[in-house]
Amino acid sequence: MDLSSTVAWSVPVAGCLLAALYGHGRAEAGAQSIWGSALWVAIVTGVLLTFVQVVLHGACIGARWCADQGDVNMSYWFQSFMAIPLYWLVACSVWKIKQ
């Protein structure tokens, strides 16, 4: 059983959920605009989740649940960083919909 893909995609999906919660919370608070703050939150979320993904994939390999190490693990942890624009878009979209 190889959980490499599960670990690789679960962290960016969690980031999208966090971004949606941020957008929803700002809409509930009556924020007039979140474009700048959502970008900052997306960048911080992407960087932090990159480290989380590195640790999770390393633990998965250590537990022998992940057989494929990718390109020295880079292909399995870089999704969180590359998803920064997606996090920003999700937060702003949820904010706009809930407004």
Side-chain angles (χ1 to χ4, degrees):
M1 176 168 67
D2 185 16
L3 297 177
S4 297
S5 296
T6 304
V7 172
W9 289 104
S10 62
V11 177
V13 169
C16 286
L17 292 174
L18 290 172
L21 286 173
Y22 175 74
H24 185 270
R26 295 302 297 157
E28 295 266 325
Q32 296 298 316
S33 176
I34 67 162
W35 301 100
S37 65
L39 179 61
W40 185 82
V41 168
I43 291 169
V44 170
T45 300
V47 170
L48 290 177
L49 286 181
T50 299
F51 291 111
V52 168
Q53 200 159 4
V54 168
V55 170
L56 284 178
H57 192 70
C60 185
I61 289 172
R64 299 178 192 244
W65 294 335
C66 295
D68 192 4
Q69 295 186 19
D71 182 17
V72 189
N73 292 340
M74 186 175 199
S75 62
Y76 289 109
W77 61 261
F78 210 54
Q79 291 97 341
S80 294
F81 187 76
M82 295 302 290
I84 288 173
L86 180 62
Y87 300 153
W88 178 72
L89 183 64
V90 167
C92 293
S93 297
V94 169
W95 169 76
K96 189 69 174 168
I97 289 169
K98 292 292 181 181
Q99 235 184 352

